[in-house]
Amino acid sequence: MFVGEYSHNIDAKGRVIIPAKFREQLGEQFMITKGFEGCLFVYPMDAWEELAENLSKLPSNQKSARHLQRMFLSGAAEAEPDKQGKVLITAPHREHAMLTKEVVIIGVSKRVEIWDAQRWQEYIQSEEEMTVEEAAESLEEISF
């Protein structure tokens, strides 16, 4: 399970260090794709395969299903950290997440998210309006 929050910088070549704690769980190869709220999702291969399988089961006659399939699958790229733990963030991924220099890398259960540091702070501040209790309440319908 991925948990925690780490701050790093993207170098001039578009590479960022994945925290060692996350690298151990991600393995030698993992997938990076465009995520929600303007971040990147990073999945270990087993979780990625599970997600891809679930996406393939969505009904292709529904526009929202097709959109999710396209967003996650067309926006995916395989990544391998180098010996220093750096991984290349592709230009389309940097553009999607508006990554400039400072990034925040967070653990979110089965995935890692990569955020532009400023956007992460803006997201945290905007979500403070909803309490944890309100969020949990809204998830009651799925038996949270």
Side-chain angles (χ1 to χ4, degrees), residues 31 43-59 65 68-69 72-73:
M31 298 298 285
Y43 291 96
M45 291 308 257
D46 59 340
W48 174 256
E49 289 167 6
E50 180 182 334
L51 174 65
E53 179 66 25
N54 290 336
L55 287 169
S56 74
K57 293 177 183 176
L58 293 175
L68 274 178
Q69 290 169 331
F72 279 113
L73 299 173

Side-chain angles (χ1 to χ4, degrees), residues 59-114:
S60 61
N61 63 340
Q62 290 184 2
K63 186 176 182 176
S64 59
R66 292 190 307 272
H67 180 72
L68 274 178
Q69 290 169 331
R70 290 173 182 142
M71 188 192 89
F72 279 113
L73 299 173
S74 69
E78 199 169 295
E80 292 182 40
D82 65 15
K83 292 179 183 178
Q84 298 171 330
K86 291 182 181 180
V87 66
L88 176 67
I89 306 297
T90 65
H93 285 152
R94 288 193 309 267
E95 187 176 308
H96 170 78
M98 298 169 133
L99 301 179
T100 52
K101 183 174 177 160
E102 297 176 22
V103 299
V104 176
I105 303 170
I106 63 171
V108 186
S109 186
K110 291 185 176 185
R111 72 176 179 268
V112 171
E113 294 181 355
I114 301 175

Side-chain angles (χ1 to χ4, degrees), residues 14-29:
R15 299 174 303 172
V16 67
I17 294 175
I18 301 295
K21 182 178 175 185
F22 291 166
R23 283 196 314 268
E24 291 171 15
Q25 296 176 66
L26 287 168
E28 293 180 19
Q29 292 181 323

